[in-house]
Amino acid sequence: MSALIAVLFALSGCSLDRAVHATTDAGERDATVVVDAMASDADLVDAPAPDVDAADLDGGPADAGPEDAGDPDVGPPDAGPPSCDSQYGTAIGYMPCAERATECEFAALLESVRTCGTTCAALGGHCIDAYRNEVPFPPCERQGTPIGCDVFHGDDICICSRGP
């Protein structure tokens, strides 16, 4: 680190005098360094910040902030995420399997030209996972282990997000 500082001084046109002469006079300067009699090495040590509550600074109650002075919120209350039927109901071959708080599970006809990933994205969501669902098995019956969102396949069960 000290070598880097020396290089920076050399590049700036300054020279670094390693022979430092200082006085302990309060604020007096010799030819090289000023030493303040009020400061000591102990004053320069990093220490944790004191635990100060804003109330100590502004005289208010502990952790109090300013009241919201803005206009009241307007508009209808948040409706939450869309239903699975309203978000994914237009997918080719859509058959709802399960609707959970954050995800929709449905069977879709992907015809080996679409994936669950592209189907979910095209309808405003993102793919979480996918399973095979071949005919003659009942619709919505997961077959085997997850196949992932990017597999081109015929009939799959897509698990997509509710909402974006």
Side-chain angles (χ1 to χ4, degrees):
M1 184 69 174
S2 63
L4 176 62
I5 293 171
V7 168
L8 290 174
F9 272 97
L11 292 174
S12 69
C14 297
S15 62
L16 180 63
D17 184 4
R18 293 190 184 270
V20 175
H21 304 284
T23 67
T24 56
D25 299 332
E28 288 188 18
R29 179 186 304 255
D30 77 356
T32 310
V33 177
V34 173
V35 177
D36 188 348
M38 299 302 289
S40 70
D41 287 345
D43 294 331
L44 303 175
V45 174
D46 286 337
D51 187 19
V52 176
D53 192 303
D56 297 337
L57 302 175
D58 66 9
D63 298 323
E67 288 190 34
D68 183 2
D71 294 331
D73 295 335
V74 294
D78 293 337
S83 71
C84 295
D85 289 343
S86 67
Q87 185 167 1
Y88 298 108
T90 59
I92 297 173
Y94 174 83
M95 179 174 288
C97 298
E99 183 168 317
R100 294 180 276 282
T102 60
E103 59 190 37
C104 298
E105 185 171 335
F106 59 92
L109 180 58
L110 303 177
E111 301 171 324
S112 297
V113 295
R114 288 175 296 283
T115 66
C116 282
T118 59
T119 300
C120 296
L123 297 169
H126 66 271
C127 182
I128 297 168
D129 216 337
Y131 290 83
R132 294 185 188 279
N133 184 229
E134 299 293 332
V135 176
F137 288 95
C140 297
E141 184 177 302
R142 295 179 181 182
Q143 297 169 10
T145 59
I147 60 172
C149 294
D150 299 320
V151 173
F152 289 94
H153 196 252
D155 299 324
D156 287 343
I157 295 174
C158 299
I159 303 173
C160 303
S161 65
R162 281 184 68 191

